[in-house]
Amino acid sequence: MRLFMFTFFLVAVSTAMLMRLELFAPGAQFMDGDTFNQAFTLHGVIMIFLFIIPGIPAIFGNIVMPLMIGAKDVSFPRLNWFTFWLYIVGCIIALTSLFNFTGEGLDFNFADTGWTFYAPYSLNTGTNVITTLVAAFVLGMASILTGLNFLVTIHRLRAPGMDFFKMPLFVWGIYATAWIQLLATPVVGITLVLAILEKYFGIGIFDPAKGGDPVLFQHLFWIYSHPAVYLMILPAFGIMSEIIPVFSRREIFGYRTIALSSASIAGIGYIVWGHHLFTSGMSDIAKTIFSFLTFFVAIPTGIKFYDWIATMYKGKIILKSPMLWALGTIITFAIGGLTGVTIAMIGADIHLQDTYYSVAHFHYAILGGVVFLLFAGLHYWFPLVTGKMYNEGTAKIAFYLNFIGINLLWFPMFIAGYYGMPRRYFDYLPEFEIYHQISGVGAVVIFVGLTVMFLNLIAGWRNGEESGLNPWHATTLEWHCPTSPPPLENHSKVPYVDFKPYEYHHGEPVVKFDYETMKRID
């Protein structure tokens, strides 16, 4: 599954590169407007539904989470296997939606609506929107079942002695995410089914020409899709909370507030969807309430940032590559988060709606937050999963290229968006050319950085040095296994947990185990 995800990620990145080349100068270069519409839809659908939403839970939730709680596996391994095949079926359906099969061959006919599929256009366009919606529905089913499996695993299979406030914070991130998967995903599933029924049976639900309401589609879509943003970021924040104490050699500051802030973000995320509809038709009172509620998200998020920085204060900072990715994310996600606060304000949002400002905000939050932390987790748990070590110097070069690249790519778009550059246009006025050209250079830099990073990880996996059992001097249970990679059914014995997850003394882990008996020897 991980191979499929990274393959789709590279396809989405390649599509984005083609769009950036098209935008390097005003006027049509090698794409027409229709093809550009299909390109940004393909990029968005792959990144959101095939990579970012399932990414961290599938890559790390399945492997690392059971190890962290002392379990032999997830509660329902066969259900886990079933969700894998659901994901594959969803991918195949998404691929078939790329083309129309005609007697004369294949015609490229992917959806041209953007990943939001707004009605009524999505119900009337001649492109393969419905096939794409079916793919999203199947992928949503996989997400729901995965969330259910994780919830049961965390409730039922924690090691003896491990209560909720002795769980590692990555597990808290997965736990909060699983509730969103279970409760919010069915809403978008119902929405997609209604759109399919309207398309094929002419039932007037969203199309005003048939008596429907297009704004209803937006409400239903964002009731799921705004919590989905936190579905993406909460497990990523969990990775951050694992890396910061390990590479600061300090117990994490404010463990309980970080844990509870994950649950708070998941809860508040359900009641703020209306800020996506300030320009779609909504009463002033409703706008004010949604704007006011949106600011509350900043409180638990700010608590996390405060606790991470407080953990590093007077710590022994070790700038290995996982820590560099984490520190870079503090900067990039802060930019994405603070610019998000500005468009939570009604007046600013009306000015910046559908401009490149909101696109830049989204990419700083998702690329600079979720994806950067996914890469941090890849480097952090790489020796655990492979038993090998990558080249640390090359990994640092890859990080710096990506960090420079994202800022070159997206910061100019804040300025272009502020001056009125609309998103999803394949052509633009000459005064915006300089911003697009700087962004184009940034895209090339980040593409080179990604290439260097993946080649380095592949080389490390094939020819890297043996990593040892706990190369980072980490404290959580996944690093206390008898072998690296971990053996079948993980730990040799189920450990008894009578300690906190991040205990350090003079920069060294307090808790030590005999890996054969899993009894403490410290």
Side-chain angles (χ1 to χ4, degrees):
M1 187 168 182
R2 287 164 282 283
L3 177 63
F4 284 103
M5 285 182 178
F6 282 113
T7 302
F8 281 118
F9 173 72
L10 293 176
V11 171
V13 169
S14 301
T15 309
M17 282 297 299
L18 291 174
M19 288 190 290
R20 269 291 131 209
L21 287 174
E22 169 59 39
L23 291 169
F24 200 77
Q29 311 304 314
F30 56 90
M31 283 188 197
D32 58 24
D34 291 336
T35 306
F36 190 82
N37 292 345
Q38 292 172 315
F40 68 67
T41 305
L42 180 67
H43 172 77
V45 168
I46 290 178
M47 287 300 278
I48 297 295
F49 294 109
L50 300 183
F51 180 68
I52 294 176
I53 286 181
I56 293 178
I59 295 171
F60 301 125
N62 279 312
I63 297 176
V64 179
M65 185 269 286
L67 281 163
M68 286 182 140
I69 63 173
K72 293 181 179 179
D73 200 344
V74 292
S75 276
F76 307 117
R78 290 181 179 175
L79 183 66
N80 210 21
W81 191 234
F82 179 64
T83 59
F84 164 76
W85 284 109
L86 271 183
Y87 175 82
I88 298 299
V89 170
C91 293
I92 292 171
I93 296 172
L95 288 174
T96 60
S97 68
L98 286 170
F99 304 102
N100 272 355
F101 298 92
T102 66
E104 300 176 355
L106 296 177
D107 291 333
F108 185 72
N109 196 37
F110 192 69
D112 58 352
T113 59
W115 71 275
T116 52
F117 308 112
Y118 273 3
Y121 181 72
S122 59
L123 302 172
N124 297 304
T125 177
T127 56
N128 291 334
V129 172
I130 296 301
T131 320
T132 314
L133 292 180
V134 172
F137 182 84
V138 173
L139 293 168
M141 283 294 297
S143 181
I144 292 169
L145 296 175
T146 299
L148 177 66
N149 205 354
F150 285 171
L151 284 174
V152 176
T153 301
I154 293 169
H155 274 275
R156 301 289 297 172
L157 296 185
R158 297 192 314 276
M162 180 183 278
D163 60 31
F164 265 67
F165 288 108
K166 288 178 184 169
M167 290 196 312
L169 288 165
F170 176 71
V171 181
W172 267 99
I174 289 289
Y175 182 71
T177 300
W179 278 112
I180 299 174
Q181 288 174 291
L182 190 67
L183 298 179
T185 309
V187 178
V188 77
I190 293 167
T191 310
L192 300 180
V193 169
L194 290 175
I196 293 168
L197 290 175
E198 177 154 2
K199 176 75 174 179
Y200 287 117
F201 298 99
I203 304 170
I205 301 171
F206 303 123
D207 189 347
K210 299 172 184 172
D213 182 0
V215 179
L216 174 63
F217 181 93
Q218 296 187 31
H219 277 289
L220 291 173
F221 182 84
W222 286 111
I223 284 173
Y224 160 76
S225 295
H226 195 79
V229 174
Y230 305 115
L231 189 157
M232 303 172 204
I233 195 65
L234 284 174
F237 282 166
I239 294 173
M240 176 83 87
S241 298
E242 297 301 320
I243 290 174
I244 294 289
V246 169
F247 292 92
S248 302
R249 296 291 191 265
R250 288 195 65 201
E251 185 171 352
I252 197 158
F253 183 87
Y255 168 88
R256 290 195 176 222
T257 55
I258 293 178
L260 294 175
S261 66
S262 296
S264 302
I265 291 171
I268 296 171
Y270 282 103
I271 56 176
V272 301
W273 80 90
H275 67 232
H276 292 278
L277 284 77
F278 285 161
T279 58
S280 298
M282 182 185 289
S283 72
D284 289 343
I285 293 177
K287 287 178 187 174
T288 306
I289 292 173
F290 277 120
S291 175
F292 183 71
L293 291 173
T294 302
F295 290 121
F296 277 101
V297 181
I299 297 173
T301 308
I303 288 171
K304 284 182 183 291
F305 273 70
Y306 175 83
D307 287 340
W308 293 330
I309 293 169
T311 302
M312 288 185 280
Y313 179 65
K314 290 189 177 179
K316 182 182 178 182
I317 306 295
I318 299 169
L319 287 178
K320 294 288 187 181
S321 47
M323 186 64 165
L324 282 177
W325 281 103
L327 293 176
T329 304
I330 288 178
I331 298 170
T332 51
F333 189 83
I335 295 172
L338 291 173
T339 51
V341 172
T342 61
I343 52 178
M345 294 183 287
I346 301 168
D349 182 78
I350 290 171
H351 174 69
L352 299 169
Q353 180 72 239
D354 281 335
T355 68
Y356 261 97
Y357 186 96
S358 56
V359 181
H361 148 68
F362 184 77
H363 281 81
Y364 261 103
I366 301 301
L367 176 59
V370 182
V371 179
F372 267 31
L373 284 173
L374 189 153
F375 294 158
L378 274 183
H379 288 81
Y380 178 58
W381 283 306
F382 184 88
L384 171 74
V385 174
T386 66
K388 302 286 185 66
M389 186 58 79
Y390 47 81
N391 184 293
E392 179 64 22
T394 308
K396 289 182 177 178
I397 291 171
F399 162 74
Y400 287 121
L401 285 171
N402 279 286
F403 185 76
I404 293 169
I406 188 176
N407 286 291
L408 277 177
L409 173 57
W410 287 114
F411 202 85
M413 290 296 106
F414 283 125
I415 304 170
Y418 176 79
Y419 284 119
M421 174 70 213
R423 64 175 179 168
R424 297 179 173 177
Y425 277 41
F426 88 113
D427 194 7
Y428 52 84
L429 297 173
E431 56 259 41
F432 295 114
E433 183 174 8
I434 184 63
Y435 304 112
H436 283 291
Q437 290 187 339
I438 295 171
S439 289
V441 172
V444 172
V445 173
I446 204 168
F447 188 79
V448 172
L450 290 172
T451 305
V452 171
M453 185 190 75
F454 281 117
L455 290 178
N456 186 41
L457 292 176
I458 292 169
W461 198 334
R462 296 179 63 179
N463 305 313
E465 296 179 358
E466 299 292 328
S467 63
L469 295 180
N470 187 3
W472 308 128
H473 298 276
T475 57
T476 41
L477 280 181
E478 80 271 23
W479 296 102
H480 295 294
C481 289
T483 61
S484 179
L488 185 67
E489 297 191 338
N490 300 335
H491 302 95
S492 49
K493 302 284 184 182
V494 177
Y496 184 81
V497 178
D498 56 354
F499 51 89
K500 298 176 183 176
Y502 309 103
E503 293 185 1
Y504 280 97
H505 183 66
H506 295 308
E508 289 296 324
V510 170
V511 177
K512 295 181 175 61
F513 284 98
D514 177 334
Y515 294 142
E516 295 301 321
T517 62
M518 286 308 288
K519 293 184 182 298
R520 289 181 63 170
I521 56 174
D522 50 278

